[in-house]
Amino acid sequence: MSARRDTERPMRTGHMAELRATSDRAVTVPVNHHVYVSQCHDVATNLSIEHYLFQKSHPDSTVLFLYVNRPCIVLGRNQNPWLEVNHSLVRRTTAPISPLRTLSDRDRQQDDKIKIVRRRSGGGTVFHDLGNLNFSIICPPATFHRDKYAEMVVQAIRKTNPRARVNERHDIVLDPGEPLNTVDRPGPEDTYRTAYAYGNGTLEPQKVSGSAYKLSRLRALHHGTCLFNSPNISGISEYLRSPARPYMKARGVESVRSPIANITDQQSESPSPMIQSLQQQIIEAFIRKYDLDSNNLYPFSEPPSPAIGLKEHTQCTSGVIDSQMLEIPEISAGRAELEARIYLKIKSGIIISSQISTTSTTTLHHHPDAAAAAAFINAMLLQEPPPKITEIKSFGDLLFRGGGSWGGGGGRRRGEEDIIRGVAAWLDLMLGKEQKAPSIHG
């Protein structure tokens, strides 16, 4: 095993190139099933990898992608953040990694301020942390239905908690009541009923997994959460309850609120080892569902080598992926889009001032020309003659209209273009504009 570790770095680079080749349809022998596990815990990176797989994976393939994020709140595509999130509570608190840890100053530095991001799929607002496992399945639309993979995940969860089932909203819930009489108990393959009572005066089912979906002509995406042993379980409802809700009426899809619970009550100083057990159970359920040869899957107990890629003429591939995926331009640009923070002041339909936060936007914060980048984008938003916001068809075209680089003269570098694309895509998404790749001048 030591030899495999020694070759991990060079193999990662080569197999990431193979994933690019696969996504560009360059491989003539498609692999039907892929299993990827992310070792990165950044929500914007993982959502961008997921979106990349949705757009670039072979249209006949089925992909299982598993990831865990540090504390964050993820809004649905069509939701109003002021109705869904308690922003004042989020700003003044950190979300603990573990309830068992006595926090020293060093440990507190590892606890996260809670990020807020908007995903590209619909559905409601959810809370992620290191005690929550996210699953994503990407498949051909012809084989998709909303309960298909919820049933698969229930089979995995039941290895830990037999009370899990799929409800009428396609969520996964736990039945909290007493065991039913033997004659009333459903069979183990029934994923819609359990051997435990609910309703009729007993406790209501508790939600442990919610799902969202995205469909295109070639691909269908089903992704969901699994509250396994979240250390923040008692506070999630407070984070997701806006005090402004009774006083605001706005467009957008509102979340359906339900009582929630963890799949297991067991806690540890680091939730990761316990999450890995659920991760493995979902992978095994995926293998059973498609009758795959598990010998083609690399072990996930340690970072495998090859870390990601294609084994030709095999039915299934697997791999561990991480933030190295940001070397792929589309993923880097997607992350910049999700982390953009832009404030516009509009009067009579015209943008009269703009501000780009270079501290909350990771891509700009670490860019050597962050201040100049923000100044350039602000200047393009305020150019003369000022267009009315209703007349702007695409912010991509608007921001790329000036040509050159923000440093003054010359063509743009790839990193500069990625940042501008990210800002433009975020504005188009937020303001309902035409989303397209901007034309590049100069």
Side-chain angles (χ1 to χ4, degrees):
M1 300 300 284
S2 60
R4 294 181 68 185
R5 291 194 188 95
D6 293 340
T7 59
E8 180 183 339
R9 181 57 61 184
M11 291 297 284
R12 279 181 185 274
T13 303
H15 283 274
M16 189 163 64
E18 288 180 3
L19 181 63
R20 286 198 189 95
T22 304
S23 69
D24 292 334
R25 316 291 191 258
V27 179
T28 57
V29 183
V31 178
N32 293 331
H33 301 91
H34 303 265
V35 178
Y36 297 129
V37 177
S38 177
Q39 289 186 320
C40 173
H41 299 318
D42 175 68
V43 58
T45 300
N46 283 326
L47 288 177
S48 296
I49 292 171
E50 178 185 77
H51 186 59
Y52 181 80
L53 293 171
F54 176 76
Q55 290 186 312
K56 298 294 187 179
S57 56
H58 194 282
D60 294 329
S61 67
T62 300
V63 179
L64 171 63
F65 177 46
L66 301 172
Y67 57 96
V68 176
N69 292 322
R70 293 180 72 86
C72 60
I73 293 171
V74 184
L75 294 152
R77 177 188 177 96
N78 302 308
Q79 291 196 292
N80 186 320
W82 308 109
L83 291 178
E84 300 295 332
V85 180
N86 187 333
H87 291 272
S88 61
L89 179 62
V90 168
R91 281 196 300 269
R92 68 175 183 263
T93 60
T94 56
I97 292 174
S98 166
L100 303 184
R101 179 181 295 168
T102 302
L103 292 179
S104 64
D105 290 340
R106 180 181 177 183
D107 289 331
R108 288 184 187 279
Q109 293 174 7
Q110 298 176 11
D111 274 29
D112 277 358
K113 284 289 186 180
I114 301 167
K115 286 187 176 181
I116 302 175
V117 300
R118 184 187 298 275
R119 63 179 180 270
R120 297 172 177 88
S121 62
T125 300
V126 292
F127 184 93
H128 296 178
D129 62 16
L130 295 182
N132 171 77
L133 177 65
N134 301 286
F135 66 89
S136 175
I137 299 101
I138 301 165
C139 66
T143 67
F144 169 81
H145 64 80
R146 289 180 180 245
D147 281 350
K148 180 176 182 177
Y149 297 109
E151 294 169 0
M152 182 188 80
V153 174
V154 161
Q155 295 286 5
I157 292 174
R158 283 181 174 177
K159 301 288 185 180
T160 301
N161 192 326
R163 296 174 179 269
R165 65 175 173 88
V166 182
N167 72 1
E168 64 281 357
R169 292 186 52 82
H170 319 290
D171 297 325
I172 299 174
V173 298
L174 301 180
D175 288 336
E178 295 298 320
L180 299 173
N181 295 326
T182 303
V183 293
D184 297 326
R185 293 183 181 182
E189 298 303 315
D190 188 341
T191 55
Y192 297 89
R193 296 187 299 156
T194 70
Y196 300 88
Y198 72 93
N200 296 324
T202 67
L203 294 173
E204 289 300 308
Q206 297 170 303
K207 183 175 175 179
V208 295
S209 174
S211 293
Y213 314 91
K214 183 177 177 66
L215 284 89
S216 69
R217 184 173 62 88
L218 295 176
R219 304 299 272 155
L221 165 70
H222 173 184
H223 56 181
T225 56
C226 284
L227 283 166
F228 190 69
N229 61 338
S230 168
N232 298 286
I233 191 71
S234 62
I236 290 177
S237 62
E238 293 302 315
Y239 290 128
L240 305 185
R241 181 179 291 115
S242 169
R245 176 178 288 273
Y247 310 103
M248 291 182 64
K249 183 174 288 188
R251 295 181 179 179
V253 176
E254 294 188 13
S255 297
V256 176
R257 301 177 192 280
S258 307
I260 59 173
N262 278 326
I263 293 168
T264 177
D265 292 330
Q266 297 181 42
Q267 293 287 348
S268 63
E269 288 196 3
S270 174
S272 297
M274 300 187 70
I275 280 285
Q276 287 172 1
S277 66
L278 178 60
Q279 173 183 290
Q280 189 61 40
Q281 288 158 7
I282 292 177
I283 292 170
E284 291 172 359
F286 185 78
I287 291 171
R288 291 193 300 271
K289 186 171 190 65
Y290 290 101
D291 194 24
L292 304 176
D293 181 1
S294 60
N295 292 325
N296 286 331
L297 291 173
Y298 306 115
F300 289 95
S301 58
E302 61 180 62
S305 179
I308 185 170
L310 175 71
K311 291 174 65 182
E312 289 191 10
H313 307 288
T314 61
Q315 188 186 21
C316 187
T317 64
S318 65
V320 168
I321 55 182
D322 57 23
S323 57
Q324 262 198 317
M325 293 289 285
L326 290 171
E327 295 174 15
I328 298 175
E330 293 94 330
I331 295 177
S332 178
R335 182 169 180 257
E337 172 189 338
L338 291 175
E339 293 195 325
R341 295 293 183 271
I342 304 168
Y343 306 90
L344 302 179
K345 186 175 182 180
I346 299 171
K347 184 176 182 180
S348 300
I350 295 173
I351 301 172
I352 61 174
S353 68
S354 66
Q355 178 185 353
I356 299 175
S357 171
T358 58
T359 54
S360 63
T361 305
T362 302
T363 306
L364 287 179
H365 181 55
H366 293 292
H367 197 284
D369 299 315
F376 172 83
I377 297 172
N378 284 332
M380 296 306 296
L381 290 174
L382 301 175
Q383 60 187 286
E384 294 290 342
K388 287 194 173 183
I389 197 165
T390 54
E391 297 172 350
I392 298 173
K393 292 184 178 180
S394 164
F395 279 93
D397 285 346
L398 179 69
L399 293 181
F400 275 85
R401 187 181 299 168
S405 70
W406 54 63
R412 295 188 183 94
R413 297 185 296 273
R414 167 67 72 175
E416 298 172 352
E417 291 179 4
D418 286 346
I419 292 172
I420 299 174
R421 288 180 196 275
V423 170
W426 189 87
L427 283 168
D428 287 338
L429 178 63
M430 294 299 100
L431 298 176
K433 300 298 181 179
E434 181 180 353
Q435 297 182 55
K436 63 179 181 178
S439 55
I440 302 174
H441 309 287

